[in-house]
Amino acid sequence: METENKRNFSIIAHVDHGKTTLSDRLLEHTQTVDTRVLTSQHLDSMDLERERGITIKSHPVTMNYKCKSGTVVQLNLMDTPGHVDFSYEVSRSLAACEGAVLLIDAAQGVEAQTVANAALAVSQDLDIIPVINKIDLPSANLELCLKQLEDILAIPAEDAILASGKSGIGIEDILEAVVSRVSKPRWNDCEQTRVLIFDSVYDAYRGAIIYIRCFSGEIKPGDGILMMSDHTRAEVKEVGVFSPHMVKTKSLRAGDVGYLVCNIKNVSEIKIGDTITNAMKPATEMLPGYQEVRPMVFSGIYPVESSDYEKLKAGLGKLQLNDAAFSYQSESSIALGFGFRCGFLGLLHMEIIQERIRREYDVEIISTYPSVVYRVEKADRETIEVDNPINLPDPSHIERILEPTIRATIHIPNEYVGDILNLIMDKRGVCHNTETLDGSRLMLECVVPLNEILIDFNDRLKSITRGYGSMDYELGDYVEAKLVRMDIMVNGDSVDAFSCIVHTDKARARGKELCERLAEIIPSHLFKIAVQAAIGGNIIARANVSAMRKDVTAKCYGGDISRKRKLLEKQKEGKRKMKNIGNVSIPPDAFIKVLKSD
Amino acid sequence: MEKFDKMAKLRGDSLGIYLHVPFCSTTCDFCAFYQEAPRRQGIVEYLDGIDRELSLIEAPEKKVDTCFWGGGTPGLLPAGDLDRLCKAVVSKFGQPQHEWTVEMAPSSVRKDKLQALKDNGVTRISMGVQSWDDGLLESLGRLHTSKLARKALDLVQEVGFESINLDLIFAIPGQTAEQWRSDLSKTLSLGIDHISTYCLTFEEDTALYVKLSEGKVSIDTEKETAFYRVSWEETERAGFEQYEISNYAKKGHECLHNLNTWRMDEWIGVGPSAASQSELKRYSNPADLKNWLGDLKEGRRGLASEPEVLDAGILFEDCLIFGLRMNEGVNLDTLKNRFGRDLPESVKDSMEQLEGEGKLVKEGGKLRLTGEGRLVADAIGTELLGRFSD
């Protein structure tokens, strides 16, 4: 097909604004997928994605659409992830496009991620097609949406297409707009082959399957290729398109989106955003926008049963095959035994990986308090990076500690501004700009330490604003802060898995909270248990687990000793499943429960 | 010969017979014991089955010390059947040397039954009164009223037995501390010599458990603890001595059969679901009249599952854990003499800790739980059991 009859576009939206449902309608309308085989949310293939209603891995798909003028146009749709943790993946998917359908929920209006995604699309020079979705909802507020479109995003209201993914309204209008408003494939005048990697998945039989957009030249089986970021060489085994399942083709050319299989097995060797070129006739310049992805959040993952260590290791290895943004290396904890230090893009990414280990690899795990990467300048001028509180040097050796921050954009209804400013302050953040979006909404721009938003910032934002607030963020600078390590002790024994790095101003409150929560979770024992928080040698907070009051079965006769004994054995086994710190048994889920806010 | 002596030592000194009578006229809301509704046909088959089972049991070389009939409701059988059953047991094992208990429910006590039992040498009657409060009795699903229980006791006392036990239940939903105190003091004033107090338990497969899981009743540990303490006070005031978690007696009236169980001696169980510990094996009969009979008709005693083989290790653990349920505690020298072993260090460490917390006392070679320890005897058992396998 002629390059000029190809269109590459993406659908971008705030979480839950109906992106995946709309994609399904486009597939149906272009008969790419038979309606009968179309399970709801076709493109989300992971169970977890379907359950959580979010897309984690983006799935491209190629559709052939016969437009009103009669021409058949090849439409390549990139369905992007909708969560901030995966914003780099979003940016790479966008980089593979010339246009974007910007979806706005008619009942929710413009939200923080709508703005962030629109800005991302604009920065990539994409043609934007605004679509107001879910217009058939009773709570739809069309007028407000159109006004927000002009006021906040500076997009003319008359450009907007009204649609409903659910009932199929406006689907054809959207397809027509993609053909007429999205530019023809760009950068196809380069003489050498340049192919963008925007994702990859692992296949047990074929190794890494690389999702690509070909910008110029051609790529086909047998080609010797070169990864431009690190000069890795490989040979192409297979190329093909998604329609929506993988279908082999002879080659991929300028303007095509598809997949590539080469003799690279590990997904971790594939760098998202990298440019592939032909090794024989290499391009001199990479496609723009490549970044090395680095984990932002770290946490220890340990098997509940130490005998599951190998199983966990194998599971992590397989997960990494499919997820280059996830990293792990072995570590050990006094409290938890042998396990792994794992790095994630963000908290959602962390939760998803943990859940997948449990479900797909059937290993019960304990995870430790998540940590960001601190930069510690030591007295001897050496700077080290610390992602595990245990590794924080002795305070006497520390000159200063820097912590990562984020630049957050928060959208909220006006009436919650006081509470949200308090929340930001509570999280040690600074709000440096407040802007009125329309009569009823505000946009706050602030800088907040990353470690403060790890646990519950988004949850609290949502609960304060009754679900109407939204947030987007990007990484900011490292900033000096007064940080210390706080240890949690159970009956005098330090439980390293609970150690965390906290700001001195917040240590007491945080220590008290941790102690109290842990004291609630630890079941009554024969003896009283003290749960203490300490900085250095100083106890700063304490809570008690009172001793068990009564545990005795009155009836024990009729000679049935074995029944009674079995009962005791069962209780004994129950205790064995817990983590024993000194003589205190801690239920495995305590570690997670302590971290979750109420 | 030496090996034989060692075996005999492990097995302990005394021998008891437990006979299970599975019939009940109704099922109490709290009861999880195996039971059958009484029909004449079933009773006749049961009595025949007992004869068959007795004929299949090898006569023990030891003399029988105690006999205990539990259920179900043994007292539900008519006088003639009781007489037949007594004679069958005695002709097999001889007259129990020290004690012979039969459980009765107040609603089925009759003079002719009591007389038949007494004539055959039964020494002790145990009666499940549970409460003297008619409202609480009804809430437990019991058939009798307090008036009926009082009448039944009068009959038992009139016929005359060496010992009489009454069972009471405490921490019944809705029961107040005052109600419990009055149940106790009334019981203790009736001229009996033994009382068992059971904290209401919610066992699976009982009507109460269903109520619990439906949220209609709840467990209140504080209340249970307080009521348990009330039992200690009231029994002591009335001149009774606690000798086990749930048992109080006037001197010389402790239930020897149960002491024999907690000391890990031997007992042979007869009747459906009856458990045995004999010749270093632990096993249970099928807990179903039909299955139990079926096996017997084929000329063998069926078992609910493979017998557990006992060795010095298991018996040592059980002597300790179950021994601590008794106020007298356990004598480590006696255990060492019987099993040829000491407490493992890990267990000793744990005991030291328990001592430090006032839950356990060590005096001379003897270990016993304090009141505080008795309140958490199960947790202590679990803890010690865990330490044995460390």
Side-chain angles (χ1 to χ4, degrees):
Chain A
M1 187 175 286
E2 292 303 315
T3 306
E4 63 182 34
N5 287 337
K6 296 171 187 170
R7 296 291 182 277
N8 294 302
F9 74 107
S10 179
I11 303 179
I12 53 179
H14 190 76
V15 149
D16 280 344
H17 280 200
K19 195 172 49 185
T20 308
T21 307
L22 184 74
S23 307
D24 284 350
R25 288 299 95 80
L26 299 181
L27 296 193
E28 271 173 29
H29 196 88
T30 55
Q31 284 154 11
T32 311
V33 179
D34 196 318
T35 317
R36 278 166 305 161
V37 300
L38 189 78
T39 52
S40 175
Q41 307 213 332
H42 194 84
L43 296 178
D44 290 350
S45 61
M46 255 192 268
D47 281 353
L48 259 180
E49 292 185 349
R50 234 171 255 161
E51 264 170 45
R52 293 185 169 224
I54 50 168
T55 307
I56 299 157
K57 279 280 181 192
S58 33
H59 301 249
V61 61
T62 299
M63 303 173 274
N64 286 311
Y65 172 63
K66 187 173 180 187
C67 53
K68 283 181 181 158
S69 67
T71 321
V72 175
V73 183
Q74 175 189 316
L75 303 181
N76 296 316
L77 164 63
M78 246 66 73
D79 187 33
T80 56
H83 193 275
V84 282
D85 278 5
F86 306 98
S87 57
Y88 180 66
E89 291 197 24
V90 177
S91 90
R92 289 309 85 199
S93 292
L94 292 184
C97 304
E98 278 78 28
V101 169
L102 178 67
L103 213 53
I104 297 163
D105 186 316
Q108 307 287 327
V110 170
E111 305 233 27
Q113 268 175 269
T114 320
V115 179
N117 284 329
L120 212 56
V122 168
S123 73
Q124 310 248 9
D125 266 340
L126 303 194
D127 302 310
I128 293 177
I129 302 168
V131 171
I132 314 289
N133 193 26
K134 307 191 190 178
I135 54 156
D136 51 345
L137 280 185
S139 52
N141 188 343
L142 205 53
E143 206 177 322
L144 179 73
C145 287
L146 293 173
K147 187 168 162 27
Q148 285 179 336
L149 203 57
E150 297 207 322
D151 291 355
I152 305 172
L153 303 171
I155 295 173
E158 61 264 28
D159 285 0
I161 296 172
L162 307 185
S164 164
K166 212 158 222 147
S167 42
I169 301 167
I171 301 304
E172 187 155 6
D173 295 342
I174 294 171
L175 289 165
E176 285 295 323
V178 169
V179 176
S180 60
R181 295 197 217 166
V182 173
S183 307
K184 290 165 192 166
R186 55 183 158 174
W187 302 329
N188 57 6
D189 49 356
C190 175
E191 280 179 23
Q192 293 87 25
T193 299
R194 286 202 300 178
V195 172
L196 175 75
I197 300 176
F198 61 87
D199 205 354
S200 62
V201 294
Y202 174 74
D203 180 285
Y205 302 103
R206 293 186 289 179
I209 295 180
I210 308 169
Y211 293 6
I212 52 169
R213 155 75 196 268
C214 183
F215 277 93
S216 58
E218 185 187 27
I219 190 161
K220 59 181 186 305
D223 282 354
I225 53 171
L226 186 71
M227 310 286 180
M228 292 184 73
S229 71
D230 58 2
H231 301 283
T232 308
R233 279 165 192 275
E235 191 190 308
V236 179
K237 301 275 188 206
E238 180 185 326
V239 295
V241 294
F242 297 92
S243 62
H245 301 293
M246 286 184 251
V247 177
K248 259 192 234 183
T249 55
K250 281 185 184 149
S251 69
L252 292 176
R253 295 166 181 225
D256 285 337
V257 168
Y259 69 90
L260 176 159
V261 180
C262 61
N263 54 345
I264 291 178
K265 189 142 180 72
N266 260 344
V267 171
S268 55
E269 289 170 39
I270 308 294
K271 298 191 169 58
I272 308 295
D274 203 350
T275 304
I276 295 175
T277 188
N278 192 308
M280 302 293 285
K281 244 174 42 184
T284 49
E285 220 174 300
M286 283 177 77
L287 291 161
Y290 171 72
Q291 270 175 34
E292 187 95 40
V293 181
R294 296 189 63 195
M296 297 306 305
V297 178
F298 287 80
S299 158
I301 292 187
Y302 291 81
V304 171
E305 299 280 348
S306 54
S307 58
D308 276 344
Y309 177 83
E310 287 301 327
K311 209 163 140 193
L312 173 60
K313 188 178 175 182
L316 293 175
K318 281 188 193 146
L319 284 173
Q320 198 191 30
L321 282 178
N322 217 345
D323 186 348
F326 163 65
S327 70
Y328 70 97
Q329 65 182 87
S330 56
E331 72 168 6
S332 66
S333 147
I334 300 158
L336 304 176
F338 290 98
F340 300 91
R341 192 83 195 153
C342 300
F344 311 94
L345 293 175
L347 217 59
L348 179 73
H349 189 211
M350 179 173 95
E351 277 180 35
I352 286 166
I353 296 270
Q354 290 172 354
E355 194 59 30
R356 288 187 68 186
I357 293 168
R358 292 198 186 94
R359 285 194 200 185
E360 295 169 31
Y361 301 99
D362 193 28
V363 181
E364 268 310 303
I365 52 166
I366 290 172
S367 58
T368 64
Y369 201 88
S371 171
V372 298
V373 183
Y374 296 95
R375 281 193 194 137
V376 180
E377 291 179 14
K378 298 208 291 182
D380 60 9
R381 296 280 161 233
E382 187 196 358
T383 300
I384 56 168
E385 293 203 332
V386 174
D387 64 30
N388 184 346
I390 294 304
N391 298 335
L392 196 70
D394 187 273
S396 62
H397 296 147
I398 297 175
E399 189 70 33
R400 58 184 197 139
I401 304 178
L402 305 172
E403 64 175 340
T405 60
I406 55 148
R407 284 188 287 272
T409 314
I410 299 171
H411 287 215
I412 49 163
N414 289 344
E415 63 261 41
Y416 302 114
V417 66
D419 290 336
I420 293 299
L421 286 174
N422 280 339
L423 172 66
I424 292 168
M425 212 158 71
D426 184 42
K427 296 294 188 181
R428 297 192 285 122
V430 182
C431 183
H432 52 77
N433 191 20
T434 310
E435 229 173 273
T436 309
L437 295 178
D438 52 44
S440 64
R441 289 172 74 88
L442 282 173
M443 180 176 80
L444 310 177
E445 287 177 333
C446 51
V447 172
V448 187
L450 177 61
N451 112 333
E452 293 287 344
I453 66 151
L454 276 188
I455 303 299
D456 62 353
F457 188 85
N458 208 29
D459 291 348
R460 285 179 62 184
L461 168 70
K462 290 284 176 198
S463 81
I464 289 171
T465 61
R466 295 168 197 278
Y468 290 110
S470 58
M471 172 177 79
D472 193 79
Y473 67 79
E474 56 181 3
L475 291 174
D477 303 320
Y478 269 80
V479 172
E480 181 178 359
K482 281 192 283 175
L483 298 164
V484 284
R485 184 172 100 206
M486 181 170 75
D487 296 314
I488 300 292
M489 298 191 296
V490 173
N491 263 6
D493 289 319
S494 165
V495 186
D496 55 3
F498 286 129
S499 291
C500 52
I501 292 174
V502 290
H503 194 268
T504 44
D505 292 350
K506 307 190 81 181
R508 203 168 290 272
R510 180 79 197 136
K512 187 163 174 270
E513 195 189 338
L514 269 177
C515 289
E516 280 169 3
R517 206 172 285 170
L518 190 55
E520 258 172 47
I521 292 166
I522 297 177
S524 288
H525 280 54
L526 273 169
F527 39 84
K528 198 165 108 179
I529 298 166
V531 182
Q532 296 163 307
I535 292 173
N538 300 324
I539 305 295
I540 56 162
R542 179 191 166 108
N544 291 325
V545 183
S546 48
M548 185 186 286
R549 294 279 285 138
K550 176 179 169 290
D551 178 20
V552 58
T553 320
K555 213 167 262 188
C556 177
Y557 76 126
D560 200 353
I561 293 295
S562 44
R563 183 167 153 211
K564 175 76 187 155
R565 191 180 157 113
K566 264 179 209 144
L567 217 72
L568 295 179
E569 298 264 6
K570 212 167 109 187
Q571 284 169 8
K572 186 182 88 178
E573 277 318 299
K575 259 176 88 171
R576 207 166 281 266
K577 288 212 173 98
M578 300 203 214
K579 281 291 169 190
N580 294 300
I581 313 289
N583 50 19
V584 179
S585 305
I586 301 181
D589 58 351
F591 297 85
I592 293 157
K593 277 192 190 161
V594 164
L595 304 179
K596 290 264 176 192
S597 58
D598 311 316
Chain B
M1 195 60 198
E2 196 186 317
K3 192 178 172 199
F4 182 80
D5 281 350
K6 209 171 147 194
M7 294 254 296
K9 221 182 206 176
L10 287 185
R11 286 167 57 183
D13 300 326
S14 53
L15 174 65
I17 300 297
Y18 175 77
L19 182 109
H20 193 84
V21 185
F23 304 103
C24 271
S25 35
T26 57
T27 302
C28 298
D29 285 1
F30 55 86
C31 180
F33 282 99
Y34 165 62
Q35 44 173 303
E36 291 263 338
R39 286 193 317 272
R40 192 58 211 161
Q41 179 60 23
I43 292 177
V44 170
E45 283 181 345
Y46 167 75
L47 293 171
D48 289 345
I50 292 291
D51 284 339
R52 277 176 201 266
E53 183 169 18
L54 289 174
S55 72
L56 292 169
I57 295 172
E58 210 178 313
E61 72 265 24
K62 278 192 265 191
K63 277 195 174 167
V64 167
D65 296 280
T66 61
C67 185
F68 195 108
W69 291 11
T73 316
L76 202 69
L77 298 179
D81 293 341
L82 289 172
D83 183 57
R84 175 180 161 186
L85 211 48
C86 284
K87 294 202 157 57
V89 169
V90 170
S91 76
K92 176 73 197 182
F93 299 108
Q95 200 71 32
Q97 297 190 94
H98 303 300
E99 180 190 281
W100 185 346
T101 305
V102 173
E103 284 184 345
M104 312 229 22
S107 57
S108 55
V109 167
R110 280 174 42 185
K111 199 168 178 184
D112 57 340
K113 297 182 189 178
L114 294 169
Q115 199 58 54
L117 293 173
K118 189 176 180 183
D119 291 346
N120 279 289
V122 169
T123 62
R124 189 171 177 269
I125 297 295
S126 172
M127 198 156 63
V129 170
Q130 319 309 3
S131 172
W132 296 104
D133 184 301
D134 286 340
L136 294 175
L137 282 172
E138 204 188 322
S139 79
L140 289 172
R142 297 291 292 192
L143 269 187
H144 70 264
T145 57
S146 58
K147 208 169 148 194
L148 190 73
R150 185 57 208 264
K151 238 177 165 170
L153 179 62
D154 285 345
L155 277 177
V156 174
Q157 286 173 323
E158 192 187 317
V159 174
F161 289 87
E162 282 174 35
S163 290
I164 299 169
N165 168 61
L166 297 183
D167 285 350
L168 291 183
I169 290 183
F170 66 91
I172 304 165
Q175 188 181 34
T176 64
E178 278 325 300
Q179 275 174 313
W180 173 232
R181 211 178 272 279
S182 110
D183 265 351
L184 278 167
S185 57
K186 172 155 189 190
T187 309
L188 295 164
S189 70
L190 291 172
I192 56 157
D193 43 63
H194 192 287
I195 169 173
S196 301
T197 67
Y198 297 123
C199 181
L200 186 64
T201 52
F202 297 81
E203 299 197 47
E204 274 180 74
D205 302 329
T206 63
L208 254 179
Y209 188 82
V210 174
K211 285 184 192 165
L212 181 71
S213 35
E214 286 169 351
K216 286 182 187 157
V217 294
S218 62
I219 295 177
D220 181 345
T221 318
E222 289 301 317
K223 178 174 156 178
E224 290 178 1
T225 312
F227 282 27
Y228 193 19
R229 288 179 188 280
V230 168
S231 317
W232 298 347
E233 289 164 21
E234 291 297 319
T235 48
E236 197 184 332
R237 192 182 306 176
F240 283 63
E241 214 173 284
Q242 183 179 23
Y243 68 97
E244 194 261 356
I245 299 285
S246 328
N247 291 288
Y248 310 80
K250 290 210 163 139
K251 252 210 155 37
H253 289 276
E254 297 85 359
C255 176
L256 298 177
H257 183 85
N258 283 338
L259 286 172
N260 158 35
T261 311
W262 299 318
R263 288 176 184 145
M264 295 298 133
D265 286 350
E266 296 198 295
W267 56 95
I268 297 170
V270 186
S273 89
S276 303
Q277 173 161 307
S278 170
E279 299 181 25
L280 299 181
K281 280 195 195 88
R282 229 175 240 171
Y283 53 89
S284 291
N285 288 351
D288 175 282
L289 193 56
K290 238 186 216 143
N291 290 343
W292 172 71
L293 280 171
D295 285 318
L296 292 172
K297 277 179 188 154
E298 285 171 29
R300 59 187 154 84
R301 291 175 80 197
L303 296 180
S305 59
E306 273 296 294
E308 183 187 3
V309 177
L310 302 174
D311 57 24
I314 296 175
L315 285 170
F316 182 76
E317 287 174 27
D318 288 347
C319 268
L320 183 71
I321 289 161
F322 292 94
L324 283 175
R325 292 180 65 92
M326 295 183 284
N327 289 47
E328 65 172 26
V330 290
N331 187 321
L332 292 176
D333 295 333
T334 311
L335 290 194
K336 185 167 184 185
N337 184 34
R338 180 168 164 193
F339 301 111
R341 56 181 71 199
D342 276 321
L343 289 175
E345 285 305 315
S346 53
V347 176
K348 279 189 194 155
D349 288 349
S350 191
M351 285 188 160
E352 248 168 55
Q353 196 189 351
L354 291 168
E355 243 187 294
E357 284 156 15
K359 295 192 168 67
L360 187 88
V361 181
K362 197 174 171 187
E363 286 163 343
K366 266 194 161 184
L367 287 171
R368 59 177 182 81
L369 295 184
T370 61
E372 287 302 315
R374 231 169 287 135
L375 279 168
V376 290
D378 280 3
I380 291 177
T382 306
E383 164 78 12
L384 296 180
L385 208 55
R387 293 303 177 111
F388 269 104
S389 47
D390 267 357

